Amino acid sequence: MTVRTMKCFGLLCLLFGVGSLFVTPGVVMGSGDFQQKYIQGKLLLKQKLYADAIRGLEPLRQTSQGQHHFGLHYYLGIAHYYRGDIRQALDYLHTAWSLATKPRHRKSIKRARGRIAALFGRFQVTRHLASGSIHRLRLQLRTTEIFRHPHRVRVYQMVQKRWSTQGMLLDGKPIYLPKGTYSLHISKPQCFSMGLTKNGVIQTQMELRSQLSLALQAKASCPCTRGRVLRIVQQKHVCACPSGRMWSRSKQACLALETRSRITPPVLKPKPVKGPSPWVWVSLASVAVLTGGALAIHFLVLEPQNRKEPATISGRLWKGPQ
């Protein structure tokens, strides 16, 4: 191996070692850089820029200093709490508790946990379905009481919107909701084939105090109405009329085929042809009377005055044959 080759090989090893510092979990960062980024994250949290604070503090956990840093995990838990991710906040606070070395650290964690326990309850859905049959459950969540605490309102609105649009991720992990009473319905068409149960009974109302667990089973939670029955069409559950019946749009119900055949369309009577208006005949009679009167006056009065007397015939008249 030549000297030039050995230099190139050494340079590549050096570059690989430097690059690995930025991708491996145990990255060694200068204490000055770590402290600067840590302070920046705390300032963003103080300014209520929780998403920016999480983006600034989260990469520090990959450093060797951050893995054992109490304050980093504590403030990440607080930021996630205000962002509405209560489960992630509790995970960070749990790690911070194991890293706490001072009584005031544990006191701060207890205060944060107590605040969460007073406002939120643990809700979990266990899946009792075939594996891989469904990954997200569309839920319509409605509170039946008025929330006063602003953070409870914020978390409720976030969860409600996510469940109705994206669905609830069925990963077996708990969800933390504001304590209270709710109405809970699975959206169509999922409700035709599954339902949330407790002790085998379909649940559409729930009361969350500290914790609650419901089972997702292959049991219909919404009925087919107006005479329709549940059928499987192209591997989808739909409501359709039973055999011998057909859906009527006008009646909005399933009608028997014989009944539909007896329903004859209404007979349309021809519209009567209207004659001319009586005033037309009156007008024509008036014109006829006026015209006749004018002609009579002309022939009786004017015509004799205009007629000339015959001329005197002179000369010998022809007497005919002798």
Side-chain angles (χ1 to χ4, degrees), residues 11 46 78 164 191 216-217 229 251 259 320:
L11 181 61
K46 188 176 182 180
I78 299 300
S164 61
C191 64
L216 181 63
Q217 294 182 336
V229 296
K251 301 292 184 179
T259 305

mmCIF file of all heavy atoms in Angstrom, residues 11 46 78 164 191 216-217 229 251 259 320:
data_model
loop_
_atom_site.group_PDB
_atom_site.id
_atom_site.type_symbol
_atom_site.label_atom_id
_atom_site.label_comp_id
_atom_site.label_asym_id
_atom_site.label_seq_id
_atom_site.Cartn_x
_atom_site.Cartn_y
_atom_site.Cartn_z
ATOM 1 N N LEU A 11 -7.976 9.599 5.833
ATOM 2 C CA LEU A 11 -8.895 10.725 5.715
ATOM 3 C C LEU A 11 -10.344 10.239 5.706
ATOM 4 O O LEU A 11 -11.233 10.842 6.344
ATOM 5 C CB LEU A 11 -8.575 11.512 4.446
ATOM 6 C CG LEU A 11 -9.455 12.751 4.187
ATOM 7 C CD1 LEU A 11 -9.308 13.754 5.323
ATOM 8 C CD2 LEU A 11 -9.064 13.411 2.861
ATOM 9 N N LYS A 46 -41.184 29.548 27.518
ATOM 10 C CA LYS A 46 -41.697 30.662 28.306
ATOM 11 C C LYS A 46 -42.544 31.595 27.455
ATOM 12 O O LYS A 46 -43.503 32.197 27.949
ATOM 13 C CB LYS A 46 -40.514 31.426 28.928
ATOM 14 C CG LYS A 46 -40.928 32.492 29.925
ATOM 15 C CD LYS A 46 -39.705 33.138 30.572
ATOM 16 C CE LYS A 46 -40.126 34.175 31.596
ATOM 17 N NZ LYS A 46 -38.957 34.810 32.245
ATOM 18 N N ILE A 78 -43.372 19.386 30.041
ATOM 19 C CA ILE A 78 -44.242 20.556 30.176
ATOM 20 C C ILE A 78 -44.691 21.051 28.801
ATOM 21 O O ILE A 78 -45.858 21.413 28.599
ATOM 22 C CB ILE A 78 -43.509 21.673 30.950
ATOM 23 C CG1 ILE A 78 -43.148 21.189 32.363
ATOM 24 C CG2 ILE A 78 -44.365 22.915 31.012
ATOM 25 C CD1 ILE A 78 -44.339 20.786 33.195
ATOM 26 N N SER A 164 -62.469 12.323 14.414
ATOM 27 C CA SER A 164 -63.506 12.374 13.381
ATOM 28 C C SER A 164 -62.931 12.423 11.976
ATOM 29 O O SER A 164 -63.583 11.990 11.025
ATOM 30 C CB SER A 164 -64.410 13.590 13.607
ATOM 31 O OG SER A 164 -63.654 14.798 13.522
ATOM 32 N N CYS A 191 -69.575 1.267 11.985
ATOM 33 C CA CYS A 191 -70.502 0.897 13.059
ATOM 34 C C CYS A 191 -71.381 -0.288 12.666
ATOM 35 O O CYS A 191 -71.978 -0.924 13.542
ATOM 36 C CB CYS A 191 -71.377 2.090 13.423
ATOM 37 S SG CYS A 191 -72.459 2.666 12.101
ATOM 38 N N LEU A 216 -63.312 -3.278 21.752
ATOM 39 C CA LEU A 216 -63.820 -3.152 20.384
ATOM 40 C C LEU A 216 -64.083 -4.555 19.848
ATOM 41 O O LEU A 216 -63.152 -5.326 19.644
ATOM 42 C CB LEU A 216 -62.811 -2.419 19.502
ATOM 43 C CG LEU A 216 -63.229 -2.197 18.051
ATOM 44 C CD1 LEU A 216 -64.456 -1.309 17.967
ATOM 45 C CD2 LEU A 216 -62.079 -1.586 17.243
ATOM 46 N N GLN A 217 -65.367 -4.874 19.652
ATOM 47 C CA GLN A 217 -65.749 -6.215 19.230
ATOM 48 C C GLN A 217 -66.498 -6.171 17.905
ATOM 49 O O GLN A 217 -66.997 -5.114 17.481
ATOM 50 C CB GLN A 217 -66.643 -6.869 20.297
ATOM 51 C CG GLN A 217 -65.934 -7.141 21.603
ATOM 52 C CD GLN A 217 -66.829 -7.834 22.609
ATOM 53 O OE1 GLN A 217 -68.046 -7.732 22.549
ATOM 54 N NE2 GLN A 217 -66.224 -8.561 23.554
ATOM 55 N N VAL A 229 -81.861 -4.346 5.995
ATOM 56 C CA VAL A 229 -81.096 -5.320 6.769
ATOM 57 C C VAL A 229 -79.621 -5.179 6.392
ATOM 58 O O VAL A 229 -79.270 -4.606 5.353
ATOM 59 C CB VAL A 229 -81.584 -6.762 6.508
ATOM 60 C CG1 VAL A 229 -83.007 -6.931 6.990
ATOM 61 C CG2 VAL A 229 -81.484 -7.108 5.028
ATOM 62 N N LYS A 251 -91.044 6.979 -0.935
ATOM 63 C CA LYS A 251 -91.521 6.592 0.386
ATOM 64 C C LYS A 251 -90.402 6.510 1.423
ATOM 65 O O LYS A 251 -90.664 6.458 2.626
ATOM 66 C CB LYS A 251 -92.221 5.226 0.308
ATOM 67 C CG LYS A 251 -93.403 5.183 -0.634
ATOM 68 C CD LYS A 251 -94.559 6.022 -0.114
ATOM 69 C CE LYS A 251 -95.774 5.884 -1.023
ATOM 70 N NZ LYS A 251 -96.918 6.677 -0.531
ATOM 71 N N THR A 259 -96.408 -4.737 -4.311
ATOM 72 C CA THR A 259 -97.000 -3.438 -4.007
ATOM 73 C C THR A 259 -96.548 -2.393 -5.001
ATOM 74 O O THR A 259 -97.334 -1.566 -5.469
ATOM 75 C CB THR A 259 -96.617 -3.013 -2.582
ATOM 76 O OG1 THR A 259 -96.998 -4.044 -1.673
ATOM 77 C CG2 THR A 259 -97.283 -1.702 -2.200
ATOM 78 N N GLY A 320 -138.534 43.745 -86.951
ATOM 79 C CA GLY A 320 -138.473 42.266 -87.048
ATOM 80 C C GLY A 320 -138.942 41.807 -88.398
ATOM 81 O O GLY A 320 -139.271 42.617 -89.296
#
